[in-house]
Structures are given as C-alpha cells and as structure tokens.
Amino acid sequence: EEGLEGEAALSGSAGAEVVSALHLEAVRLTEFVILNVEALRKIVKKMDKQCGTSYQKVFVEKSLKQSPLATKASDQPFNGERARACRRALEELVSPERIQELRSQAMESGGVGLSTKHWSLTRTLVSICCALMAFAMSQNSVPLAKAQRCLGLMIFTVVMWVSEAAPFEATAMLVAPLAAALDVMDGSKEDQAKKLLASVFNESLYLVLSGFTMSSIFSKCQLDCR
C-alpha cells in the first residue's frame, strides 16, 4: 500500500522524471565508486609488483578508506553503499512495476555497461598536444627514444581518461594498437603486437567477459525477474 501511495504521489510527469533522474544518478555513482577504487588499487598493486614495494595495504587503509569513496563503518566500504541506499530509498517510493522500469531505463541510458559519452574532437586534440609536449620535454631527461614515446602515450591516455574525451572503453582499446604503432617495446612490430595482445586478452579474460555478457543479457531481458 505504501508503494502504491508513493506511486500515486509521483504519478505526475515531473515527479516521475525526478525519480528516474535520481535513480540513474545513483546507479552511475555506484559504478563510479567501484570503478575508481578498483583502478586506484590496481595501480598501486602494479607499482608494488614492478618496483618491489609494499604500499598497497597502507594505501587502502590510510588513503582509500579515509576518502569520500569509502563508506564508513561498513563491512564492504568500497561497494558504493551510500549510493545503493539512495537507490533503495527511491525504489521504496514506487511500485514493483515501476522499479523494473527504472532499472531498465538505467541500463538503456548507459548507467550499466558501456558508456554513452560522445567522442570529443577538441579534448582529443588537447590530449595529443599534451602527449607531444611531454615527448618534447622528455628528450633532454629521458635518454631512450622508446621510453620517450612510451611517456607520451601514457600522458595521452591519462589526459583522454581524465578529460573524458572518449568513452572509457574506447580509450582503453586504443592503448594496445598505439603502443605497437609507436614502437615502445623491443622486437619487431609484429612481435610487439603479439605481446600486447597476449597481455590484454587471454583465456581467463575471455571466460570473465563471457560471464559478464551473459549477465548483461539476462538483466537486459529481465530474465532474473521472471
């Protein structure tokens, strides 16, 4: 009855639009927290592996858990609990049928899965300029030409990601072909391409991606609700 009363109170187009917008924002905020926490953790983990350090545990305990990304006094501080609580509170205001509509709208609007951001030519050009500047400035301090090109590629990728010049998945897919084209590794370009593809795509990753794909299909068709 409370759900029906809430649905009646929000039956107007303005109220329904507000609930839909807030619900979608909560979904995106949840994904933002999970994505960025995992990215930061893996960056430090990779640094520990390459440099022989052990900063990951200290970084998680003293930095991540004290940041706005974490939920205080929670068994799972990095699962976006505050945003999830907002979603649950909004869903309590509407009927079960409306809840399914909101979840479907979130998926169709890009709240779940691939990004729907458009490619920005201006920001891409800015990213290229930043990479060229880094490459030019590194010629006096970095002796190896391959290292200079690798630094330029890293700056380009970071600026593309931070400025949201392209969808995140598109930026990620650019790294491997650009690394092979810029000749940043040892060996022929064919060998470099094979090494890059082997490091990006492997049997375990295909298995995980297959699971995610099947899960997305089930959620899209709402098979889990039938």
Side-chain angles (χ1 to χ4, degrees):
E1 293 180 357
E2 292 180 358
L4 293 175
E5 290 176 1
E7 178 72 13
L10 296 170
S11 58
S13 59
E17 289 179 0
V18 169
V19 171
S20 298
L22 290 175
H23 189 273
L24 178 58
E25 192 69 20
V27 170
R28 289 176 173 170
L29 184 58
T30 303
E31 291 191 347
F32 175 85
V33 170
I34 295 174
L35 175 67
N36 282 273
V37 166
E38 189 65 13
L40 292 170
R41 187 187 66 80
K42 287 190 174 182
I43 288 172
V44 179
K45 181 180 179 181
K46 192 71 173 181
M47 184 191 72
D48 286 345
K49 182 179 179 181
Q50 297 296 328
C51 302
T53 56
S54 57
Y55 291 125
Q56 182 182 356
K57 185 176 181 180
V58 176
F59 176 73
V60 171
E61 294 293 333
K62 294 188 176 181
S63 297
L64 278 185
K65 285 190 176 181
Q66 305 301 323
S67 71
L69 295 172
T71 302
K72 304 296 189 298
S74 175
D75 295 335
Q76 297 179 324
F78 304 125
N79 68 340
E81 182 57 35
R82 286 178 292 179
R84 293 178 190 272
C86 292
R87 290 170 56 186
R88 291 193 293 267
L90 288 169
E91 291 175 355
E92 289 177 357
L93 300 175
V94 297
S95 62
E97 292 79 10
R98 181 59 178 159
I99 291 175
Q100 295 305 320
E101 291 180 9
L102 290 173
R103 292 176 179 175
S104 298
Q105 289 175 4
M107 181 165 294
E108 292 172 359
S109 301
V112 179
L114 296 179
S115 172
T116 57
K117 294 182 179 296
H118 297 291
W119 203 298
S120 173
L121 178 60
T122 302
R123 295 176 184 177
T124 302
L125 292 175
V126 170
S127 302
I128 294 174
C129 291
C130 290
L132 292 175
M133 290 175 59
F135 174 76
M137 295 173 63
S138 66
Q139 291 183 350
N140 296 328
S141 56
V142 181
L144 298 178
K146 289 182 180 291
Q148 296 170 4
R149 293 194 292 271
C150 186
L151 176 62
L153 176 59
M154 185 188 70
I155 296 298
F156 170 77
T157 306
V158 170
V159 177
M160 286 283 288
W161 179 49
V162 172
S163 65
E164 298 183 350
F168 295 135
E169 57 273 7
T171 302
M173 293 295 290
L174 283 174
V175 175
L178 285 177
L182 293 173
D183 191 23
V184 299
M185 299 175 64
D186 295 328
S188 65
K189 288 193 175 182
E190 183 178 354
D191 292 337
Q192 293 181 46
K194 289 180 179 179
K195 290 179 181 178
L196 288 166
L197 289 176
S199 64
V200 175
F201 298 104
N202 52 50
E203 293 82 359
S204 300
L205 181 59
Y206 281 127
L207 178 62
V208 173
L209 288 176
S210 299
F212 283 146
T213 301
M214 294 176 64
S215 176
S216 297
I217 292 173
F218 289 156
S219 298
K220 184 73 173 179
C221 299
Q222 297 184 4
L223 294 177
D224 55 331
C225 302
R226 298 180 183 177

